[in-house]
Amino acid sequence: MTDFQVTILGNGSAVPTAFQNPTAQLLRYNQHKFLIDCGEGTQMQMIKYQVTHKNLSHIFISHLHGDHYFGLIGMISTFHLFGRELPLHIYGPGPLEQIIKMQLKASDTRLKFSLLFHALRDTETLFEDKHLKISCFPLYHKTPTWGFLFREKGKERNLRKNFVAHYTPGIEQMHRIKQGDDFILSDGTVLKNADITLNPSIPKSYAYCSDTAYDERLIPFVRSVDLLYHEATFDNNMTVIAAEKFHSTARQAARLAAKAGVKQLLLGHFSARFSEPSHLLEEAREVFENTLLSRQGETYVL
Ligand SMILES: [Zn+2]
């Protein structure tokens, strides 16, 4: 059973409040942990919600507005004090490397682990293994900003237990059957693949779009994803401000979700002016019914 889930550590916009931390999310995929954005106080949120940084090897920073990365230097410093040895990959806009290195240099901090920076470019694959692919794509904000797409790869077919127990195929044969081959007995009898295997579970996908103006150029990147996190900084009365600031309203997020045919929409990046953003959910659901309001500390399973 695959473990694919995202925990919201912060879903507020630029100004923190008593109830909303700036943006950060922890995405788990089996043994991997990926941090998406790292607003101020993210490590405190991880402690609060009992999310450990064990196995956290990759951090993706969408853009260089402070509410998306001001927690990074603090987290790196803590890793250093804990004696971390595991290399840390950081993906973000090009200047991020210089910013972090300058902060470390000023305090004469010599890290015991490797910090590996990767400057984001247009659209590219950032991480890939046998099961998962992570890519970035451009968002439309006041400064260069990227969204991230986590897409599970197609899975192998599952062997039926009674077939394996009865015919005891070898490892190589099992591998080929999982890829779709039939099984041929020594007397030439053919056991059809469909009779000796079960369908694999359907690959899942998660897309992250924060911060961005409403822009239909995002649709090809997020089309049909299982869960789309899209910013909803403002409400229906603030469409003009949203456009000026290159942010979205809840209804615009819902429109994009509907046009892209996603399965579920998760709203976040709420303006500090909304102490309770439930009206954003109502506005979004008028356009796209399968919408949720993200809640800090909640985990959403794919
Ligand atoms: Zn922001």
Side-chain angles (χ1 to χ4, degrees):
M1 179 82 182
T2 305
D3 180 21
F4 191 0
Q5 53 181 263
V6 62
T7 300
I8 305 299
L9 299 170
N11 62 359
S13 61
V15 182
T17 69
F19 312 101
Q20 287 184 173
N21 272 66
T23 300
Q25 311 187 344
L26 190 102
L27 188 138
R28 266 176 272 230
Y29 185 82
N30 291 338
Q31 79 281 15
H32 295 292
K33 279 184 192 154
F34 305 102
L35 186 68
I36 308 168
D37 281 337
C38 188
E40 182 185 346
T42 295
Q43 56 173 332
M44 300 296 288
Q45 292 294 87
M46 288 174 71
I47 294 166
K48 182 175 172 184
Y49 298 123
Q50 300 180 329
V51 175
T52 71
H53 46 78
K54 188 168 179 275
N55 293 341
L56 173 61
S57 54
H58 294 68
I59 298 178
F60 303 97
I61 301 294
S62 62
H63 66 295
L64 293 182
H65 285 159
D67 55 320
H68 295 257
Y69 87 99
F70 278 174
L72 194 52
I73 188 65
M75 187 173 284
I76 291 168
S77 301
T78 302
F79 290 169
H80 175 65
L81 295 172
F82 281 173
R84 179 187 175 108
E85 292 179 355
L86 181 72
L88 182 63
H89 295 266
I90 299 177
Y91 295 78
L96 183 61
E97 177 171 7
Q98 211 183 341
I99 294 166
I100 297 296
K101 284 187 172 171
M102 188 194 290
Q103 289 174 300
L104 293 171
K105 191 174 172 217
S107 59
D108 197 23
T109 304
R110 292 151 208 245
L111 296 180
K112 299 181 189 92
F113 61 95
S114 309
L115 211 48
L116 305 159
F117 286 91
H118 308 269
L120 295 174
R121 278 175 223 99
D122 199 31
T123 304
E124 60 180 334
T125 299
L126 307 177
F127 171 95
E128 187 165 14
D129 71 4
K130 199 174 157 202
H131 306 289
L132 184 72
K133 183 171 160 177
I134 305 172
S135 53
C136 65
F137 54 93
L139 300 180
Y140 298 94
H141 198 37
K142 279 196 165 176
T143 186
T145 304
W146 284 265
F148 302 107
L149 175 64
F150 296 73
R151 191 176 284 287
E152 202 174 16
K153 293 184 177 177
K155 296 176 185 174
E156 295 178 323
R157 300 188 63 76
N158 297 306
L159 301 180
R160 286 181 184 270
K161 283 196 178 122
N162 57 358
F163 159 72
V164 177
H166 193 266
Y167 293 100
T168 61
I171 289 174
E172 183 56 33
Q173 285 173 312
M174 285 200 281
H175 177 70
R176 286 204 303 270
I177 295 166
K178 284 179 182 179
Q179 306 295 320
D181 277 14
D182 296 332
F183 184 68
I184 302 165
L185 303 180
S186 53
D187 66 358
T189 308
V190 175
L191 302 183
K192 289 280 181 201
N193 187 275
D195 298 329
I196 58 178
T197 63
L198 298 165
N199 289 333
S201 56
I202 296 164
K204 297 289 175 67
S205 50
Y206 174 68
Y208 172 87
C209 294
S210 187
D211 300 356
T212 188
Y214 175 79
D215 199 308
E216 294 186 3
R217 282 174 288 180
L218 299 182
I219 291 173
F221 298 108
V222 305
R223 194 184 303 284
S224 307
V225 296
D226 292 275
L227 182 62
L228 168 66
Y229 179 92
H230 194 290
E231 72 134 285
T233 310
F234 297 116
D235 65 17
N236 276 346
N237 296 322
M238 307 176 77
T239 309
V240 175
I241 295 183
E244 281 170 5
K245 294 183 178 290
F246 288 77
H247 281 300
S248 303
T249 66
R251 180 175 286 176
Q252 288 173 332
R255 193 180 303 145
L256 194 93
K259 289 197 173 191
V262 311
K263 298 197 176 62
Q264 191 163 49
L265 171 65
L266 186 59
L267 300 176
H269 200 268
F270 307 124
S271 167
R273 55 172 65 71
F274 307 132
S275 54
E276 171 50 59
S278 54
H279 69 297
L280 298 177
L281 182 62
E282 289 165 26
E283 291 178 4
R285 282 187 171 168
E286 286 170 11
V287 178
F288 187 75
E289 176 61 28
N290 200 5
T291 302
L292 300 173
L293 274 189
S294 65
R295 299 279 180 194
Q296 289 186 175
E298 285 284 316
T299 293
Y300 301 86
V301 178
L302 281 123

